[in-house]
Amino acid sequence: MKFYIRDGFLESRQKSPNLGMVGIVDDGSDISMLFADALCGIEGVSVFTFNESLEALKHFTENKEEYILIICDLMMPKLNGLDLVKKIKQISPKTRIMITSCYEIEPGELQSCINKGIIDKIMEKPVSMNTLCREVKNQINYYLKFHIHPSGFI
């Protein structure tokens, strides 16, 4: 897999059939790159990283039919992660959402978002890359089980 930097975000190019896009949204570029490197072994997905929520939302809006998963840090400047994923689910309810955070996650509003189907998985950082990859594969498989991708691949 090759990575290309374009307009402040990282884009991956797959040579295998494209199942869809996975977006990583984290204001820590080191975390974004670490997650992207870990996910490069998953066949058929294109990985995009964003360090700003508004850039991620713009890219998602322009490519909403291609996205199958968003991995988003909870604490983001300008537009926080929870508000971002709420907007994403309004645009595309079928897109899977994983929230990550290095802070202890309080159940309140997050549990409400899980109950409403806005958040599909919460992972506390630090997370091992094996655990991250396993959970991303689980989320992709869940998505593919219930949705036929526009490319015709399932």
Side-chain angles (χ1 to χ4, degrees), residues 60 64-65 67 87-95:
F60 179 84
K64 62 183 174 259
E65 293 300 319
Y67 269 98
K87 289 179 184 295
I88 287 171
K89 279 291 190 171
Q90 286 176 344
I91 296 167
S92 176
K94 67 182 181 179
T95 302

Side-chain angles (χ1 to χ4, degrees), residues 19-21 60-68 91-92 94-95 143 148-151:
L19 297 174
M21 296 178 180
F60 179 84
T61 302
E62 294 168 354
N63 300 279
K64 62 183 174 259
E65 293 300 319
E66 299 299 320
Y67 269 98
I68 56 178
I91 296 167
S92 176
K94 67 182 181 179
T95 302
Y143 177 94
I148 297 175
H149 192 267
S151 68

Side-chain angles (χ1 to χ4, degrees), residues 33-101:
M33 294 298 290
L34 181 66
F35 283 13
D37 286 346
L39 300 181
C40 73
I42 299 175
E43 288 297 317
V45 296
S46 296
V47 177
F48 293 82
T49 66
F50 304 90
N51 300 120
E52 296 179 8
S53 295
L54 296 176
E55 271 300 312
L57 182 60
K58 178 182 176 195
H59 191 265
F60 179 84
T61 302
E62 294 168 354
N63 300 279
K64 62 183 174 259
E65 293 300 319
E66 299 299 320
Y67 269 98
I68 56 178
L69 174 65
I70 297 289
I71 303 166
C72 186
D73 187 25
L74 189 60
M75 304 299 285
M76 295 288 297
K78 297 181 185 175
L79 180 65
N80 72 48
L82 192 54
D83 289 338
L84 172 63
V85 299
K86 286 178 180 177
K87 289 179 184 295
I88 287 171
K89 279 291 190 171
Q90 286 176 344
I91 296 167
S92 176
K94 67 182 181 179
T95 302
R96 306 293 292 169
I97 302 290
M98 289 174 54
I99 288 286
T100 62
S101 182

Side-chain angles (χ1 to χ4, degrees), residues 1-3 10 12-17 19-20 22 24 33-47 129-130 132-134 136-137 140-141:
M1 174 184 304
K2 294 181 180 178
F3 292 99
L10 177 82
S12 70
R13 298 285 187 187
Q14 286 282 355
K15 293 182 180 176
S16 59
L19 297 174
V22 173
I24 301 168
M33 294 298 290
L34 181 66
F35 283 13
D37 286 346
L39 300 181
C40 73
I42 299 175
E43 288 297 317
V45 296
S46 296
V47 177
M129 294 305 99
N130 286 338
L132 175 70
C133 288
R134 184 174 54 248
V136 166
K137 288 176 185 177
I140 291 170
N141 288 335

Side-chain angles (χ1 to χ4, degrees), residues 96-145:
R96 306 293 292 169
I97 302 290
M98 289 174 54
I99 288 286
T100 62
S101 182
C102 61
Y103 300 101
E104 188 170 318
I105 299 174
E106 305 249 343
E109 188 174 4
L110 291 180
Q111 187 59 50
S112 173
C113 287
I114 290 171
N115 295 342
K116 292 176 184 175
I118 296 169
I119 298 172
D120 299 299
K121 180 71 177 179
I122 298 173
M123 297 184 74
E124 288 191 39
K125 293 188 252 176
V127 59
S128 77
M129 294 305 99
N130 286 338
T131 301
L132 175 70
C133 288
R134 184 174 54 248
E135 189 53 46
V136 166
K137 288 176 185 177
N138 288 342
Q139 294 299 322
I140 291 170
N141 288 335
Y142 185 91
Y143 177 94
L144 295 174
K145 187 176 181 180

